[in-house]
Amino acid sequence: MEYKEDRECNDFNLPPEGISADKRNKIFMNQLEFFKEQKKNFLGYQVNQCINHEEIIKQFFNLHINNVGDPFEKGNMTINSKPMEQAVLDYYAKLLNATTPYDPNNGESYWGYTLSMGSTQGNFSAIFNARDYLGGKVLLKYEEDKRVIKLNSRNSKCTRLTENLVCYQAEIPKNNRNAYTPVAFYSQDTHYSIFKATRVLNFQTFYELGSANYECPLNYPDDYPDGFSQNHLGENNWPIKVPSNRDGSINIPILVKLVEFFVKKGHPIYICFNYGTTFKGAYDNVQEAVNALVPILKENNMYEREITYIQNNEIKKIKRNGFWFHVDGALGVAYMPLIEKAIEKGLITLPENYKFPYFDFRIPEIHSIVMSIYKWIGSPISFGLFMTKIKHQISIPRDPMYIGSPETAFSGSRNGLAPIILWNFLAKHSEEEQIRMALHTEMLAQYAESKLKELQQKSNIDLWVERSPLALTIRFRKPNKSIIFKYSLSCETTYVNDEQRSYAHIFTMGHVSQDLIDRLVNDLNKPDAFVESLEG
Ligand SMILES: *Cc1c(COP(=O)(O)O)cnc(C)c1O
């Protein structure tokens, strides 16, 4: 099999005198040819390569469009696409059953913004907000509270953040020193951006706190799910992350046990659920988890609690949850609401013994949801959406509870092209058409699963072919390098029980055809396809 070389930096060397137009053109053509070739066989990542925005979007290319700041505050940067941004936010808020339209005077109303990065930025936003929300921070406006701040700063009760932004730290109650020390929970199958965000934002995980201070409430192996590997156990026999089921979804009984352990010690709780995990494409059953967690939170006064602070010499109280439930729905949030509609219309049936995993704002306990919308719609640039409710925002311009800065979006400059691309997609494709698109990708995933299982039956090696319920991805034994390069396959090493396995996976995104899947299966059927992984 031919092994195609990738491009090197040398092909693009930049001499001080620059490069002539002719030569530039040739270099660009080569680059484009390479991309086009790779696009023909693109199967390994969850991005739709079917992109048709060019004729509309190129008209906006000779402009700098910047949505800096809050999407609902126009500001003086007039070359912005904020009104379009508001329209796409409203569209998704409705799809996710949030309270719409956006209303700054209604705490239940949704609030959100388009991310200039994908879900990574959204996960940072959620953890940032949750840390201060659960940590008992209250934002005050400097101008109004100069005197109080002076007074309080002597008792180190206030922290000044910027020139006009001040944060009041609620006093830690004497009967619970953990009241404002939140603990983060996320599963083994969680994207690394969550781990990164907890590090950057100095947010403690249950493992860090638990392994340093307590005996683990779980016993190995009795309390652990089928397939769990000892490699995921850390110090003092604590699991490093919340164990997942074999399909990649979070194990709810274990999550409940771990949460109960920390809630009983007085800690507020942050949980990151997954809706379409990166490698296995699994959906956490968020509704089921919330149903199991709410009674425990209520019993331990963590469902709703009072935060006391001082403003203008007056003692004030606000009510907040002692938990934050976040959904990282990088891929799944974009199409699973469409699949739900297709199920209602009888266009697709659920796998046997599988309940639809509800996850959205119909569950009142959900605080935030993010998605990397570019993965699903097909877009030349990556971007995402972050959604929460006004009442949970720690920095809201007009909320009477907190008075803070309008720099609510975390990122400074925000890409103004992103909302235009998304608006174009949503205006062009009716909901019915989008449901058809979602069904098409599900059907292709079923097709790929059956073709790979057929291959497995013919083959004399175990190809470990697996697909989690309703996932758009199928995983199998990692093939040789040239197949990985040809189809841009993403690979991961995991443990099944204590056996270390190297997998590859494919995603059946919008641009994928049966023919492409057939070509892959054909290559996987060749004698040398799995030589490397069998040799170790
Ligand atoms: C892709 C992905 C992310 C990160 O998204 P970016 O668009 O790369 O920022 C986060 N979580 C999950 C589950 C993902 O699949």
Side-chain angles (χ1 to χ4, degrees), residues 46 117-121 123 189-194 274-279 328-331 370-372 374-375 382-383:
Q46 54 272 62
M117 291 153 73
S119 293
T120 300
Q121 187 190 349
N123 288 334
D189 284 66
T190 300
H191 190 260
Y192 54 83
S193 59
I194 294 283
N274 288 307
Y275 209 69
T277 59
T278 310
F279 200 74
D328 177 356
L331 182 62
V370 299
M371 53 179 139
S372 294
Y374 71 92
K375 289 180 176 172
S382 44
F383 68 98

Side-chain angles (χ1 to χ4, degrees), residues 67-326:
N67 289 8
V68 64
D70 191 281
F72 299 95
E73 300 265 338
K74 276 195 189 148
N76 298 329
M77 171 66 204
T78 54
I79 303 182
N80 70 60
S81 60
K82 286 185 180 183
M84 255 181 190
E85 181 180 10
Q86 292 167 20
V88 300
L89 289 170
D90 238 50
Y91 183 98
Y92 277 102
K94 273 188 209 124
L95 193 67
L96 299 179
N97 295 294
T99 302
T100 56
Y102 169 76
D103 173 4
N105 300 311
N106 176 6
E108 290 299 325
S109 155
Y110 86 88
W111 178 85
Y113 70 102
T114 56
L115 308 156
S116 287
M117 291 153 73
S119 293
T120 300
Q121 187 190 349
N123 288 334
F124 267 81
S125 255
I127 289 179
F128 183 30
N129 203 126
R131 187 194 64 186
D132 288 354
Y133 178 90
L134 299 173
K137 295 261 191 292
V138 182
L139 280 180
L140 307 170
K141 204 168 157 191
Y142 186 59
E143 284 311 311
E144 286 174 15
D145 293 273
K146 262 185 194 149
R147 210 173 47 81
V148 189
I149 285 150
K150 224 180 218 166
L151 217 77
N152 280 333
S153 58
R154 282 192 215 120
N155 322 326
S156 62
K157 278 184 188 160
C158 277
T159 324
R160 194 163 144 184
L161 296 178
T162 65
E163 203 46 47
N164 55 5
L165 201 63
V166 177
C167 215
Y168 182 88
Q169 172 62 58
E171 217 171 325
I172 297 169
K174 289 195 175 59
N175 61 356
N176 179 13
R177 66 191 170 88
N178 295 329
Y180 298 121
T181 310
V183 189
F185 297 81
Y186 51 86
S187 83
Q188 249 164 252
D189 284 66
T190 300
H191 190 260
Y192 54 83
S193 59
I194 294 283
F195 171 73
K196 213 172 359 178
T198 57
R199 294 306 319 130
V200 172
L201 294 162
N202 206 12
F203 207 78
Q204 276 177 302
T205 69
F206 75 90
Y207 171 68
E208 287 172 274
L209 257 171
S211 64
N213 301 297
Y214 308 108
E215 200 176 305
C216 183
L218 304 169
N219 292 316
Y220 180 81
D222 298 351
D223 290 332
Y224 285 82
D226 176 37
F228 180 82
S229 164
Q230 279 195 72
N231 290 287
H232 295 300
L233 287 180
E235 305 217 350
N236 293 330
N237 266 345
W238 276 81
I240 297 166
K241 296 165 188 172
V242 181
S244 303
N245 300 313
R246 222 188 133 134
D247 71 356
S249 61
I250 197 164
N251 185 286
I252 295 174
I254 294 188
L255 173 70
V256 169
K257 255 188 203 168
L258 290 170
V259 165
E260 185 169 24
F261 182 84
F262 284 94
V263 163
K264 285 206 181 309
K265 301 210 176 308
H267 289 283
I269 295 300
Y270 174 88
I271 301 177
C272 174
F273 290 107
N274 288 307
Y275 209 69
T277 59
T278 310
F279 200 74
K280 295 179 178 174
Y283 313 101
D284 288 348
N285 196 324
V286 181
Q287 174 80 74
E288 210 176 293
V290 171
N291 289 350
L293 290 163
V294 162
I296 290 168
L297 294 165
K298 285 188 173 161
E299 271 164 37
N300 293 282
N301 299 321
M302 214 36 102
Y303 189 77
E304 195 166 65
R305 55 182 189 163
E306 223 159 49
I307 298 210
T308 308
Y309 67 104
I310 300 164
Q311 190 174 29
N312 297 333
N313 270 352
E314 273 175 61
I315 295 187
K316 300 198 172 174
K317 290 176 191 295
I318 46 172
K319 282 204 169 128
R320 275 187 196 174
N321 300 132
F323 61 96
W324 186 289
F325 292 162
H326 173 64

